[in-house]
Amino acid sequence: WDSLCRWDFDIVEVSKECGGKPLLFIGWALLASPNSQQTMASSCDMKDEAVEGYNFIKHLGIDQGKLCEFLRDIEADYDAKNPYHNNVHAADVTQT
């Protein structure tokens, strides 16, 4: 969570690490927090200490599966050939 809140966050590196799907990753990490941090920690066999986040899932009653599908659909509509207004830029704007 702390890394997501930094101004020097490297969205290009995140895009490489998540297989070119940065909007799905960042959108889910922010909008589904702290649930997303707990899921990531569990899948990486890490101690679940992440409790920070916006908690939109709980407060707005958002279904996590539908959120992921929504983010996938948005990301799929970006033209990868566009050098600026692409999914990496969208993820960067979402993070900041």
Side-chain angles (χ1 to χ4, degrees):
W1 179 256
D2 292 335
S3 294
L4 286 171
C5 298
R6 296 177 52 107
W7 282 102
D8 62 347
F9 187 81
D10 188 349
I11 194 64
V12 174
E13 184 62 29
V14 168
S15 181
K16 290 176 188 174
E17 292 294 324
C18 65
K21 303 291 184 198
L23 186 57
L24 172 62
F25 181 81
I26 296 298
W28 183 68
L30 292 173
L31 297 173
S33 61
N35 302 45
S36 54
Q37 288 94 337
Q38 293 163 349
T39 301
M40 285 186 262
S42 175
S43 68
C44 295
D45 294 324
M46 297 172 61
K47 186 176 179 184
D48 182 12
E49 297 177 2
V51 293
E52 294 184 60
Y54 298 113
N55 217 353
F56 289 126
I57 297 294
K58 179 181 176 186
H59 294 304
L60 300 176
I62 299 171
D63 178 87
Q64 289 188 65
K66 288 181 181 178
L67 173 63
C68 286
E69 285 303 313
F70 175 72
L71 292 167
R72 282 186 187 103
D73 288 346
I74 291 172
E75 190 154 50
D77 284 341
Y78 277 94
D79 183 357
K81 295 177 187 174
N82 189 321
Y84 184 72
H85 286 113
N86 52 38
N87 65 331
V88 178
H89 177 251
D92 190 36
V93 170
T94 301
Q95 186 271 330
T96 56

